[in-house]
Amino acid sequence: MRSRAAEYLGKAGILLGEREHESIEVADFGLGSLEKTGLQLMTYVNTPRYCAKDLVLFPGQTCAEHRHPPVGAGNPGKQETFRCRFGMVYLYVDGAATSHPQCRPPQGDEAFYTVWREIALKPGEQYTIPPDTKHWFQAGPDGAVVSEFSPHSLDGLDIFTDPRIVRAPLRG
Amino acid sequence: MRSRAAEYLGKAGILLGEREHESIEVADFGLGSLEKTGLQLMTYVNTPRYCAKDLVLFPGQTCAEHRHPPVGAGNPGKQETFRCRFGMVYLYVDGAATSHPQCRPPQGDEAFYTVWREIALKPGEQYTIPPDTKHWFQAGPDGAVVSEFSPHSLDGLDIFTDPRIVRAPLRG
């Protein structure tokens, strides 16, 4: 799966160093059906001050609904800027529901997808998700590559709507 | 110059939205010889918590030596992660001088280039510059595209070795 993810990065013109593809994280959120619900992440830097990643979604793959909660008194939670680099990504965030959304949640998991304001991003388009805001996203039929810029990333603290999901912490 | 910079972004597979190229910043550092000493910057996001840009250098172009000083008590200065996306960039930072460096400073300005630890980055390679550390960089013969990830960027506070340079602040 790591080399498949690296191929998708290549479709966005993104080259990895010689052994970098070994550090691509493949996340199935513990649900065991990666092609349906999952995400591949290449983290370039994650310091206490800032973080940059590229996210790969295979065709139709969904990143499950979650939010980034406040961390202590001074941190309102992770804000994220998503910038599409390849393919189409459909982002759903808390807010007024879009009347005819392009995507459906993974079959059988509909109960765990509760926010329906749709933001469709094609290459060269971006959107910033405020801290502590529920969101999920799904790739179009060609898959998608999305750059994510944010403060320090503490994925182990993410709160998922689906109670079966426990996100393993990323190496920091 | 903005459309030329957008062309170089394209060489790295980086697409801009419809009117985004209009926000590319062309910086000649007030020296009036952009091809020699200058930098083109496409800023995607710059919030109080994080910043992401792509830097374009035309062939042989040099970004003048500078550092990002501490800002108040809690901020040691801007740390930057440079990741090469296209071409070659030669980065020079404070530290043990490289014995046969690949680059020369812009002619006539040699006095203002004082750090000589060379880090050569090709696509897929990256380097993190610590806060408050003198650095400068120059593109190889094909030019270069470099992604820069950092905390909040306050370019107007940068301190240049060349006393003629006054960096205009970026819009925030």
Side-chain angles (χ1 to χ4, degrees):
Chain A
M1 282 304 160
R2 290 196 173 100
S3 32
R4 191 176 169 210
E7 271 171 42
Y8 275 80
L9 291 172
K11 290 174 194 245
I14 297 166
L15 297 177
L16 298 184
E18 213 169 313
R19 303 197 59 169
E20 265 185 336
H21 74 278
E22 294 171 15
S23 64
I24 293 176
E25 185 197 12
V26 178
D28 74 352
F29 305 111
L31 298 180
S33 55
L34 181 75
E35 295 284 335
K36 204 168 80 164
T37 311
L39 185 65
Q40 295 64 232
L41 305 96
M42 176 69 219
T43 300
Y44 299 114
V45 59
N46 186 19
T47 78
R49 300 175 73 195
Y50 59 98
C51 179
K53 309 175 183 179
D54 279 327
L55 312 178
V56 173
L57 292 152
F58 299 137
Q61 199 180 28
T62 301
C63 176
E65 183 177 292
H66 64 285
R67 63 184 169 89
H68 307 289
V71 184
N75 183 339
K78 187 184 168 210
Q79 175 173 305
E80 295 174 338
T81 299
F82 277 16
R83 185 172 175 91
C84 183
R85 299 288 190 181
F86 167 80
M88 280 294 297
V89 65
Y90 298 91
L91 173 63
Y92 296 88
V93 298
D94 207 1
T98 298
S99 49
H100 299 286
Q102 296 292 314
C103 299
R104 290 180 190 185
Q107 208 175 358
D109 296 346
E110 291 80 358
F112 310 123
Y113 292 80
T114 67
V115 297
W116 286 100
R117 182 184 162 208
E118 180 178 276
I119 295 131
L121 299 175
K122 60 176 191 290
E125 294 182 334
Q126 67 181 52
Y127 184 80
T128 295
I129 306 163
D132 203 21
T133 298
K134 278 186 185 170
H135 61 282
W136 60 281
F137 47 100
Q138 189 177 97
D142 297 326
V145 175
V146 179
S147 293
E148 181 193 297
F149 311 123
S150 74
H152 190 36
S153 183
L154 298 156
D155 293 347
L157 302 182
D158 293 351
I159 296 171
F160 284 82
T161 306
D162 183 340
R164 297 169 300 172
I165 297 178
V166 179
R167 183 80 163 88
L170 267 181
R171 66 205 174 316
Chain B
M1 282 304 158
R2 290 197 173 98
S3 34
R4 191 176 170 211
E7 272 171 42
Y8 274 81
L9 292 172
K11 290 175 195 245
I14 297 166
L15 297 177
L16 298 185
E18 215 169 312
R19 303 196 59 171
E20 264 184 339
H21 74 279
E22 294 171 16
S23 65
I24 292 176
E25 185 197 12
V26 178
D28 74 351
F29 305 111
L31 298 180
S33 54
L34 181 76
E35 295 285 335
K36 203 168 81 164
T37 311
L39 184 65
Q40 294 66 231
L41 305 95
M42 176 68 218
T43 300
Y44 299 113
V45 60
N46 186 20
T47 78
R49 300 175 73 194
Y50 59 97
C51 180
K53 308 174 184 180
D54 280 327
L55 312 178
V56 173
L57 293 152
F58 298 138
Q61 200 181 27
T62 301
C63 177
E65 184 176 292
H66 65 285
R67 63 186 170 88
H68 307 290
V71 184
N75 183 339
K78 187 181 167 214
Q79 175 174 306
E80 294 174 339
T81 300
F82 277 16
R83 184 171 175 91
C84 183
R85 299 288 190 181
F86 167 79
M88 281 293 299
V89 65
Y90 298 91
L91 173 63
Y92 296 89
V93 298
D94 207 1
T98 297
S99 48
H100 299 285
Q102 296 292 314
C103 299
R104 289 182 192 185
Q107 208 175 358
D109 295 346
E110 291 80 358
F112 309 123
Y113 291 80
T114 66
V115 297
W116 286 100
R117 181 183 162 210
E118 180 179 275
I119 295 131
L121 300 175
K122 60 176 190 290
E125 294 183 334
Q126 66 181 53
Y127 183 80
T128 296
I129 306 164
D132 202 21
T133 298
K134 277 186 186 170
H135 60 284
W136 60 282
F137 46 100
Q138 189 176 98
D142 298 324
V145 175
V146 178
S147 293
E148 181 193 298
F149 311 123
S150 74
H152 190 37
S153 183
L154 298 156
D155 293 347
L157 301 181
D158 294 351
I159 297 171
F160 284 82
T161 306
D162 184 339
R164 297 169 300 172
I165 298 177
V166 179
R167 183 82 162 88
L170 266 181
R171 66 205 173 318

